[in-house]
């Protein structure tokens, strides 16, 4: 897909305008309601759908299919980010009315860092085709690691600050409390950061770790930097609203890690097959329609099995509480 500089500029300006509108509407700190989060989630998904339809009309079915496959993959992988965002919010005790501002700026930082990753990945793949083998092997290894982590079922895991964040805190200092939405304050004649800025940096830099598997994953579906960037942008920019919409439902998605591992493993195999094909080996390649079908199918099955498992677990816990409470009631009688 040939993308002119003018189209790149227009796309970035358009995304910036949408972000500005989102920021303007939510500029006043407040608790985000389920209704507000639901409306904006639908808006961002609809905008992504319209963008994909635009690609279909002006560029054909293949770029549109690649965009939708990439968007769905990035969206599903970004849901896994929400688990970490919940831990970060708890770690820094972010007041509920400030959480939307934190997420907005944190996601913007993540988007900028991902754009750098995408540019580097596109340049490397254009120069060295053998990198597809590395990406494919890395995704297969990540899929296996994700399964192993899911099987440990460690619910007591907390968020640990990365070395970069600790270094920034040590260099500039951090206030002992929040000062509204201020990022910097002056204390004892010295300018220091507020916890608001720290948590924003935590979310933005932590997302880089997730980009290590999501960027290779989408490059396994398309090598077009324009589609890779726009799919990431639409997936990330709707993440803030999704956090408030399904925050309470995250623990019910007990099989999400297994589903994501299947998707990453599938794309890893697709990358290896593509690398073999590029090397002159006659092997079948997995088409975008097949990839899209597999990704959607895995997510649907994972969601259904997760909800069923969650209901069974809740029923078992309720029955256990009743059985534990019965002797006490009889003694009281």
């Amino acid at each position: 897909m040939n993308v002119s500089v003018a189209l790149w500029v227009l796309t970035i300006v358009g995304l910036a305008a949408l972000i500005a509108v989102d920021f303007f509407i939510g500029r006043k700190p407040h608790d985000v309601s389920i209704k507000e989060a639901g409306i904006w989630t639908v808006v961002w998904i609809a905008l992504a759908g319209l963008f994909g339809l635009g690609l279909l009309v002006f560029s054909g079915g293949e770029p549109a299919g690649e965009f939708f496959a990439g968007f769905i993959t990035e969206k599903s992988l970004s849901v896994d980010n929400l688990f970490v965002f919940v831990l970060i919010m708890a770690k820094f005790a972010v007041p509920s009315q400030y959480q939307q501002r934190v997420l907005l700026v944190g996601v913007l930082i993540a988007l900028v860092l991902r754009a750098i990753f995408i540019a580097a990945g596109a340049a490397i793949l254009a120069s060295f085709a053998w990198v597809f083998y590395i990406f494919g092997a890395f995704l297969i290894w990540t899929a296996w690691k994700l399964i192993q982590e899911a099987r440990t079922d460690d619910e007591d895991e907390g968020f640990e600050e990365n070395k970069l964040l600790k270094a920034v805190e040590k260099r500039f200092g951090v206030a002992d409390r929040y000062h509204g939405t201020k990022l910097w304050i002056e204390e004892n004649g010295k300018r220091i950061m507020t916890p608001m800025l720290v948590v924003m940096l935590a979310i933005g830099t932590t997302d880089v770790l997730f980009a290590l598997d999501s960027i290779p994953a989408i490059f396994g579906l398309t090598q077009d930097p324009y589609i890779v960037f726009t799919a990431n942008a639409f997936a990330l920019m709707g993440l803030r609203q999704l956090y408030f919409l399904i925050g309470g439902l995250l623990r019910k998605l007990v099989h999400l890690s297994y589903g994501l591992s299947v998707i990453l493993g599938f794309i890893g195999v697709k990358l290896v097959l593509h690398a073999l094909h590029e090397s002159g080996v006659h092997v079948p390649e997995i088409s975008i329609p097949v990839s899209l079908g597999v990704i959607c199918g895995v997510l649907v099955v994972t969601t259904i099995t997760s909800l069923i498992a969650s209901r069974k677990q809740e029923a078992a816990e309720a029955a256990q509480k009743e059985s534990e409470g019965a002797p006490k009631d009889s003694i009281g009688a």
Side-chain angles (χ1 to χ4, degrees):
M1 180 177 171
N2 294 322
V3 181
S4 64
V5 176
L7 182 56
W8 269 106
V9 172
L10 183 63
T11 301
I12 293 174
V13 170
L15 287 172
L18 291 172
I19 293 168
V21 171
D22 192 3
F23 182 83
F24 179 79
I25 292 176
R27 68 189 185 282
K28 185 178 180 180
H30 66 282
D31 292 326
V32 178
S33 65
I34 296 296
K35 181 180 178 181
E36 179 184 346
I39 291 173
W40 273 101
T41 298
V42 172
V43 167
W44 279 107
I45 292 176
L47 288 172
L50 290 174
F51 183 84
L53 290 176
L55 287 177
L56 177 64
V57 172
F58 295 104
S59 301
E62 185 174 352
E66 291 176 351
F67 171 79
F68 282 119
F71 171 73
I72 294 172
T73 299
E74 292 299 314
K75 198 71 173 177
S76 59
L77 289 172
S78 67
V79 170
D80 204 33
N81 298 19
L82 298 183
F83 288 100
V84 179
F85 290 175
V86 169
L87 294 177
I88 291 175
M89 293 293 187
K91 166 77 174 181
F92 294 97
V94 182
S96 58
Q97 67 268 28
Y98 299 143
Q99 289 184 5
Q100 62 161 345
R101 179 69 61 85
V102 167
L103 287 170
L104 178 61
V105 178
V107 166
L108 284 177
I109 295 172
L111 184 56
V112 172
L113 294 176
R114 286 202 181 199
I116 297 172
F117 269 61
I118 291 168
I124 292 172
L125 290 175
S127 303
F128 308 101
W130 51 265
V131 175
F132 282 112
Y133 288 109
I134 298 177
F135 276 12
F138 177 74
L139 288 179
I140 294 172
W141 175 79
T142 303
W144 172 249
K145 184 181 177 183
L146 201 57
I147 291 177
Q148 295 297 102
E149 290 176 355
R151 293 177 66 181
T152 60
D153 194 26
D154 187 2
E155 296 182 355
D156 297 327
E157 184 180 359
F159 171 75
E160 294 184 4
E161 299 177 34
N162 54 57
K163 292 182 179 179
L164 176 61
L165 195 60
K166 289 180 179 179
V168 171
E169 290 179 11
K170 185 177 180 181
R171 168 66 180 81
F172 296 101
V174 184
D176 58 356
R177 63 182 179 85
Y178 287 88
H179 293 262
T181 57
K182 291 182 179 179
L183 305 182
W184 297 89
I185 63 166
E186 192 167 320
E187 190 174 273
N188 298 325
K190 181 182 178 182
R191 200 170 183 215
I192 61 174
M193 299 189 301
T194 66
M196 176 71 76
L197 179 56
V198 176
V199 71
M200 288 176 179
L201 293 174
I203 288 178
T205 55
T206 300
D207 182 78
V208 173
L209 300 177
F210 292 97
L212 292 178
D213 55 40
S214 65
I215 297 301
I218 194 170
F219 270 116
L221 298 169
T222 176
Q223 286 80 58
D224 191 319
Y226 182 76
I227 295 177
V228 173
F229 172 74
T230 51
N232 267 273
F234 279 107
L236 279 179
M237 290 314 303
L239 192 59
R240 180 171 67 95
Q241 290 78 15
L242 202 61
Y243 171 87
F244 295 105
L245 184 63
I246 68 171
L249 299 177
L250 287 176
R251 292 189 178 276
K252 293 182 181 293
L253 300 177
V254 293
H255 295 161
L256 178 63
S257 294
Y258 293 104
L260 295 179
S261 67
V262 172
I263 292 173
L264 289 177
F266 169 78
I267 297 176
V269 171
K270 184 179 185 299
L271 270 172
V272 172
L273 291 176
H274 177 74
L276 289 171
H277 183 78
E278 291 292 314
S279 301
V281 181
H282 295 289
V283 293
E285 285 203 88
I286 302 173
S287 66
I288 288 298
V290 172
S291 300
L292 190 57
V294 169
I295 293 168
C296 292
V298 169
L299 291 176
V300 169
V301 171
T302 300
T303 302
I304 293 174
T305 57
S306 293
L307 294 177
I308 292 174
S310 295
R311 286 184 179 180
K312 289 182 178 179
Q313 184 177 357
E314 290 173 359
E317 290 176 354
Q320 183 177 359
K321 288 182 179 179
E322 289 182 2
S323 63
E324 291 175 353
K328 295 180 182 179
D329 292 340
S330 61
I331 292 174

